[in-house]
Coordinates of all heavy atoms in Angstrom, one line a residue:
T274 N 86.0 107.4 86.4 CA 84.7 107.7 86.8 C 84.5 109.3 87.1 O 85.5 110.0 87.1 CB 84.3 107.0 88.1 OG1 85.2 107.5 89.2 CG2 84.5 105.5 87.9
R275 N 83.3 109.7 87.3 CA 83.1 111.1 87.5 C 83.7 111.7 88.8 O 84.0 112.9 88.9 CB 81.6 111.4 87.5 CG 80.9 111.1 86.1 CD 79.4 111.5 86.2 NE 78.8 111.3 84.9 CZ 77.5 111.5 84.6 NH1 76.7 111.9 85.6 NH2 77.0 111.3 83.5
I276 N 83.8 110.9 89.8 CA 84.4 111.3 91.0 C 85.9 111.5 91.0 O 86.5 112.0 92.0 CB 84.0 110.3 92.2 CG1 84.1 110.9 93.5 CG2 84.9 109.0 92.1 CD1 83.6 110.0 94.7
A277 N 86.6 111.1 89.9 CA 88.0 111.2 89.8 C 88.5 112.6 90.0 O 89.6 112.7 90.7 CB 88.4 110.6 88.4
S278 N 87.9 113.6 89.5 CA 88.5 115.0 89.6 C 88.4 115.4 91.1 O 89.4 116.1 91.5 CB 87.7 115.9 88.7 OG 86.3 115.9 89.1
L279 N 87.4 115.1 91.8 CA 87.3 115.5 93.2 C 88.4 114.8 94.0 O 89.1 115.4 94.8 CB 85.9 115.2 93.7 CG 85.7 115.4 95.3 CD1 86.0 116.9 95.6 CD2 84.3 115.0 95.7
L280 N 88.5 113.5 93.8 CA 89.5 112.7 94.5 C 90.9 113.2 94.2 O 91.8 113.2 95.0 CB 89.3 111.2 94.3 CG 88.1 110.6 94.9 CD1 88.0 109.1 94.5 CD2 88.1 110.7 96.4
S281 N 91.1 113.5 92.9 CA 92.4 114.0 92.5 C 92.7 115.3 93.2 O 93.9 115.5 93.6 CB 92.4 114.1 91.0 OG 93.7 114.7 90.5
Y282 N 91.8 116.1 93.3 CA 92.0 117.4 94.0 C 92.3 117.2 95.5 O 93.3 117.8 96.0 CB 90.7 118.2 94.0 CG 90.6 119.4 94.8 CD1 91.3 120.6 94.4 CD2 89.9 119.5 96.0 CE1 91.3 121.7 95.2 CE2 89.9 120.6 96.8 CZ 90.6 121.7 96.4 OH 90.6 122.9 97.2
I283 N 91.7 116.2 96.1 CA 92.0 115.9 97.5 C 93.4 115.2 97.6 O 94.2 115.5 98.5 CB 90.9 114.9 98.1 CG1 89.6 115.6 98.2 CG2 91.3 114.4 99.5 CD1 88.4 114.7 98.6
G284 N 93.7 114.4 96.7 CA 95.0 113.7 96.7 C 96.1 114.6 96.6 O 97.2 114.3 97.0
N285 N 95.9 115.7 95.9 CA 97.0 116.7 95.7 C 97.1 117.6 96.9 O 98.0 118.6 96.9 CB 96.8 117.6 94.4 CG 97.2 116.8 93.2 OD1 98.3 116.2 93.1 ND2 96.3 116.6 92.3
K286 N 96.3 117.5 97.9 CA 96.4 118.4 99.1 C 96.6 117.5 100.4 O 96.2 118.0 101.4 CB 95.0 119.1 99.3 CG 94.6 119.9 98.0 CD 95.6 121.1 97.7 CE 95.1 122.0 96.5 NZ 95.0 121.2 95.3
T287 N 97.1 116.4 100.2 CA 97.3 115.5 101.4 C 98.1 116.1 102.5 O 97.8 116.0 103.6 CB 97.9 114.1 101.0 OG1 99.1 114.4 100.3 CG2 97.0 113.3 100.1
L288 N 99.2 116.8 102.2 CA 100.0 117.4 103.2 C 99.3 118.4 104.0 O 99.4 118.5 105.2 CB 101.3 118.1 102.6 CG 102.2 118.8 103.6 CD1 102.7 117.8 104.7 CD2 103.4 119.5 102.9
Y289 N 98.4 119.3 103.3 CA 97.6 120.2 103.9 C 96.6 119.6 104.9 O 96.4 120.1 106.0 CB 96.9 121.1 102.9 CG 96.7 122.6 103.3 CD1 97.8 123.4 103.3 CD2 95.5 123.0 103.7 CE1 97.7 124.7 103.6 CE2 95.3 124.3 104.1 CZ 96.4 125.2 104.0 OH 96.3 126.5 104.4
I290 N 96.0 118.5 104.4 CA 95.0 117.8 105.3 C 95.7 117.2 106.5 O 95.2 117.3 107.6 CB 94.2 116.8 104.5 CG1 93.4 117.5 103.4 CG2 93.3 116.0 105.4 CD1 92.7 116.5 102.4
L291 N 96.8 116.6 106.2 CA 97.6 116.0 107.3 C 97.9 117.1 108.3 O 97.9 116.8 109.6 CB 98.9 115.4 106.7 CG 99.9 114.8 107.8 CD1 99.4 113.6 108.4 CD2 101.3 114.5 107.1
T292 N 98.3 118.2 107.9 CA 98.7 119.3 108.8 C 97.6 119.9 109.7 O 97.7 120.2 110.8 CB 99.4 120.5 108.0 OG1 100.5 119.9 107.3 CG2 99.9 121.5 108.9
F293 N 96.4 120.1 109.1 CA 95.4 120.8 109.7 C 94.1 120.0 110.1 O 93.2 120.6 110.7 CB 94.9 122.0 108.7 CG 95.9 123.1 108.5 CD1 96.7 123.1 107.4 CD2 96.1 124.0 109.5 CE1 97.7 124.1 107.3 CE2 97.1 125.0 109.4 CZ 97.8 125.1 108.2
H294 N 94.1 118.7 109.9 CA 92.9 118.0 110.3 C 92.6 117.9 111.8 O 91.5 118.0 112.2 CB 92.9 116.6 109.7 CG 93.8 115.6 110.3 ND1 95.1 115.6 110.1 CD2 93.4 114.5 111.1 CE1 95.6 114.6 110.8 NE2 94.6 113.9 111.4
F295 N 93.7 117.8 112.6 CA 93.5 117.9 114.0 C 93.0 119.2 114.5 O 92.1 119.3 115.4 CB 94.8 117.6 114.8 CG 95.1 116.1 114.9 CD1 96.3 115.7 115.5 CD2 94.2 115.1 114.6 CE1 96.6 114.3 115.7 CE2 94.4 113.8 114.7 CZ 95.7 113.4 115.2
L296 N 93.5 120.3 113.9 CA 93.0 121.6 114.3 C 91.6 121.8 113.9 O 90.8 122.5 114.5 CB 93.9 122.7 113.6 CG 93.8 124.1 114.2 CD1 94.0 124.2 115.7 CD2 94.8 125.0 113.4
S297 N 91.2 121.2 112.7 CA 89.8 121.3 112.2 C 88.9 120.5 113.2 O 87.7 121.0 113.3 CB 89.8 120.7 110.8 OG 90.6 121.4 109.9
F298 N 89.4 119.4 113.7 CA 88.6 118.7 114.7 C 88.2 119.6 115.9 O 87.1 119.5 116.5 CB 89.4 117.5 115.2 CG 89.5 116.3 114.3 CD1 90.3 115.3 114.6 CD2 88.8 116.3 113.1 CE1 90.4 114.2 113.7 CE2 88.9 115.2 112.2 CZ 89.7 114.2 112.5
K299 N 89.1 120.5 116.3 CA 88.9 121.3 117.4 C 87.6 122.3 117.2 O 86.9 122.6 118.1 CB 90.1 122.2 117.8 CG 91.3 121.4 118.2 CD 91.0 120.6 119.4 CE 92.2 119.7 119.8 NZ 91.8 118.9 121.0
L300 N 87.5 122.6 115.9 CA 86.3 123.4 115.6 C 85.0 122.7 115.9 O 84.0 123.3 116.4 CB 86.4 123.9 114.1 CG 85.2 124.7 113.6 CD1 85.1 126.0 114.3 CD2 85.4 125.0 112.1
V301 N 85.0 121.4 115.4 CA 83.8 120.6 115.7 C 83.6 120.4 117.2 O 82.5 120.5 117.7 CB 83.9 119.2 115.0 CG1 82.7 118.3 115.3 CG2 84.1 119.4 113.5
S302 N 84.7 120.1 117.9 CA 84.6 119.9 119.4 C 84.1 121.2 120.1 O 83.3 121.1 121.0 CB 86.0 119.6 119.9 OG 86.4 118.3 119.4
Y303 N 84.6 122.3 119.6 CA 84.2 123.6 120.2 C 82.7 123.8 120.1 O 81.9 124.2 121.1 CB 84.9 124.8 119.6 CG 84.5 126.1 120.2 CD1 85.0 126.5 121.4 CD2 83.6 126.9 119.5 CE1 84.6 127.8 121.9 CE2 83.3 128.2 120.0 CZ 83.8 128.6 121.2 OH 83.4 129.9 121.7
I304 N 82.1 123.5 118.9 CA 80.7 123.7 118.6 C 79.9 122.8 119.5 O 78.9 123.1 120.1 CB 80.4 123.6 117.1 CG1 81.0 124.7 116.3 CG2 78.9 123.5 116.9 CD1 80.9 124.5 114.8
Y305 N 80.4 121.5 119.6 CA 79.7 120.5 120.4 C 79.7 120.9 121.9 O 78.6 120.7 122.5 CB 80.4 119.2 120.2 CG 79.6 118.0 120.8 CD1 78.7 117.3 120.2 CD2 79.9 117.6 122.2 CE1 78.0 116.3 120.8 CE2 79.3 116.6 122.8 CZ 78.3 115.9 122.1 OH 77.7 114.8 122.7

Side-chain angles (χ1 to χ4, degrees):
T274 65
R275 292 183 178 181
I276 198 175
S278 58
L279 173 61
L280 288 177
S281 178
Y282 171 75
I283 295 174
N285 283 307
K286 305 293 184 298
T287 52
L288 178 60
Y289 213 75
I290 295 173
L291 175 68
T292 302
F293 290 101
H294 75 285
F295 275 174
L296 193 57
S297 301
F298 285 172
K299 295 301 179 182
L300 177 61
V301 178
S302 295
Y303 178 79
I304 294 174
Y305 186 90

